[in-house]
Amino acid sequence: MVKVGDSIPNVDLVEGSPGDKVNLSKELASGKGLIVGVPAAFSPSCSATHIPGYVSSDKLKNAGKVFVVSVNDPFVMKAWGATLDPTSKTDIRFLGDPSGQFTKDLDLSFDSAAVFGQDRSKRYALVVEDGKIKSAHVEPDNTGVNESAAEKVLGNL
């Protein structure tokens, strides 16, 4: 599983449409950043608690570039982002990992076929500095909202 000191995987994700590629290893090569991984866009915990905690946090500005990643397509992620941050006040970018390759390369996927139809991402938050993982907050049960909660992650920045 991903750990402190690891590099961000060199995998293209998608933002808004399949042709709009985003590579987080390049986006976060220098400076500070935060990657928040979720099992599914529009799922109850992701939509009601986890991501709204980041959207509403005054400490988010200390995180640098912020990305939410899910094993979903770019259209779902765009719609979800518009729902959670309709005025784009936070500059959080919502990215799809349609094949799950980014998630697999971080070793953060889990078998969720019974619920979501395919492997999905564990819930996590990765604090990044100059392309390297500075701290990793991964939910031990894959889907809870404790270790990766905004107040815990952003409180240490």
Side-chain angles (χ1 to χ4, degrees):
M1 189 168 24
V2 67
K3 62 188 177 310
V4 172
D6 285 354
S7 296
I8 303 300
N10 185 13
V11 174
D12 285 338
L13 300 171
V14 287
E15 182 176 32
S17 72
D20 293 333
K21 308 286 188 207
V22 177
N23 187 304
L24 292 183
S25 68
K26 294 174 185 168
E27 288 278 338
L28 297 171
S30 64
K32 294 175 12 176
L34 178 66
I35 304 168
V36 182
V38 298
F42 292 105
S43 66
S45 293
C46 300
S47 293
T49 309
H50 195 217
I51 302 307
Y54 287 94
V55 170
S56 65
S57 177
D58 292 335
K59 296 180 180 178
L60 187 67
K61 64 185 175 293
N62 300 326
K65 295 179 180 178
V66 181
F67 303 89
V68 173
V69 177
S70 182
V71 179
N72 279 113
D73 64 72
F75 309 112
V76 166
M77 293 303 288
K78 181 179 181 180
W80 191 43
T83 300
L84 293 176
D85 189 11
T87 61
S88 300
K89 70 173 184 160
T90 65
D91 293 325
I92 294 174
R93 295 171 64 187
F94 290 78
L95 308 179
D97 181 15
S99 70
Q101 191 60 53
F102 181 80
T103 301
K104 290 174 193 163
D105 286 0
L106 289 170
D107 197 19
L108 290 173
S109 64
F110 75 102
D111 179 0
S112 60
V115 177
F116 298 118
Q118 66 187 37
D119 285 358
R120 291 292 181 113
S121 174
K122 296 179 180 188
R123 187 180 311 282
Y124 67 86
L126 303 175
V127 177
V128 180
E129 193 165 318
D130 297 329
K132 303 283 187 189
I133 306 299
K134 186 176 176 184
S135 64
H137 309 267
V138 181
E139 297 298 341
D141 68 352
N142 300 332
T143 60
V145 182
N146 182 31
E147 294 301 315
S148 65
E151 61 272 5
K152 189 172 275 190
V153 175
L154 298 175
N156 295 323
L157 296 181

